[in-house]
Amino acid sequence: MMKKKIGVVFGTRPEAIKMAPVIKELEKYPDQYEILVIVTAQHREMLDQVLHVFDIHPTYDLNVMRPKQSLSDITVNVMKGLEEIFMDEKPDMVLVHGDTTTSFAAALAAYYQQIPIGHVEAGLRTYDKYFPFPEEANRQLIDNLADLFFVPTELTKSNLLNENKLESEIVVTGNTAIDAIQYTKQLSVKHELLNTIQAYDKTILLTMHRRENHGEPMKQVFKAIKRIVDEHEDVVVVMPVHLSPVVQELAKDMLSGNERILLSDPLEVDVFHKVLSKSYIVLTDSGGLQEEAPAFDIPVLVLRDKTERPEGLTAGTLKVIGTDEEKVYQSIEQLLNSQVIYDKMSRANNPYGDGIASVTIVERIQKYFIK
Ligand code: UD1
Ligand code: UDP
């Protein structure tokens, strides 16, 4: 086989974490693949943290991030930047991940130059185009353009079959988030947060960033958190605060000044995984954390009204609780007070595979080129 040029495009923290194992796997075959790592830097600092942990050095960096950027800003700047790179480099395939605006714009830019597209973490759906916004539309649009679909589970495969995608173009891989965990597990990690939380019985790990939760929903959750901390002296809450200025302002305004609510900068992913492994409950609106926490046997309360990851609901590792203050408060109380309910959630099986998703992805790419 002639050497193939693979453009791996990503821009945000979660895409980087989940694409890093694919890059590492492709790198094992230098005779077969030339890899172009193209970062849009839709995120800057949070992306660079991941590149550092995985020791990845981008071939191209579009550096598009602007403070409080709009969705159009990202789309236009990514498309224009990629147009030039794709015209010069003519990759044989472009890989995109998930549902960010970087991924959508990259898929569209690749399509315009008739470059085959591989979609990693394809097939997730809520079928409500405003929930999550704009991710649900992004992933549906990407799946309309893609040529290969790397789906994490059988259920995501069935979503695509129902949308008349060809079975031969779909491969069930597990989620590369689990591969990333295998990687960070090998690293030796030190951080003062890890010492601080050791002094408490139970750590609640909180992350929140979704656009549809900006404002009132976030306020409701923060109020519930304060009540829990006031009523449980053995509980500490750790919140690495997303760098979105909207989240930063509200978290600092409502949660700072309490010695058992530890606000931190975003943590490097190896440190974050270690904190996760020491946590008792995860409270989050993140997509990736719904996949990672079950791998550490940690129950997840999902701060959204819907999830595109129903596998975790079926397995029993997730509970979708929304953002209403009383509901959030009661749901945490229940897990803190009932060992039976806690054990049931924490002992459920992780539905996202055993950490070889990237191997399966690269095997399928290989087949694509010898078809
Ligand atoms: C984006 C994705 C979302 C994903 C999330 C992961 C879109 C539309 N949204 O949302 O799907 O779940 O990333 O975190 O693709 N900022 C910094 N430094 C950083 C990162 C962000 O300062 O390293 C600030 C900037 O002011 C930026 C703002 O955060 O304008 C928002 O970033 P953006 O990528 O637009 O949205 P997210 O909420 O991060
Ligand atoms: N994460 C991290 N540092 C943090 C918080 C999260 O490395 O301080 C990782 C986490 O392990 C997961 C990913 O970031 O892999 C989730 O990213 P985010 O919540 O920003 O995006 P989403 O998954 O919702 O798209």
Side-chain angles (χ1 to χ4, degrees), residues 121-127 139 143 149-163 165 170-175 291 308-311 351-352:
E121 203 183 88
L124 277 67
R125 298 286 185 268
T126 62
Y127 293 109
R139 55 195 170 217
D143 282 336
F149 305 92
F150 304 109
V151 297
T153 61
E154 289 295 337
L155 189 122
T156 38
K157 176 177 176 177
S158 68
N159 288 340
L160 292 180
L161 291 176
N162 290 338
E163 292 171 22
K165 303 291 184 248
I170 306 171
V171 52
V172 180
T173 63
N175 199 300
E291 295 146 355
E308 59 291 270
R309 291 164 171 91
E311 298 88 347
Y352 291 108

Side-chain angles (χ1 to χ4, degrees), residues 64-78:
V64 303
M65 195 192 83
R66 299 290 172 268
K68 295 195 177 180
Q69 59 207 356
S70 73
L71 297 173
S72 310
D73 289 336
I74 307 167
T75 311
V76 169
N77 292 330
V78 169

Side-chain angles (χ1 to χ4, degrees), residues 12-15 42-48 65-71 74 99-103 133-135 138 209-211 214 242-245 247 286-287:
T12 66
R13 170 173 67 190
E15 291 162 75
Q42 174 178 334
H43 285 172
R44 186 71 273 172
E45 300 86 342
M46 287 161 58
L47 173 75
D48 292 343
M65 195 192 83
R66 299 290 172 268
K68 295 195 177 180
Q69 59 207 356
S70 73
L71 297 173
I74 307 167
D99 53 21
T100 67
T101 295
T102 279
S103 304
F133 172 80
E135 290 82 3
N138 283 344
H209 70 80
R210 304 229 80 82
R211 278 169 200 249
H214 287 178
H242 189 289
L243 292 181
S244 159
V247 185
S286 157

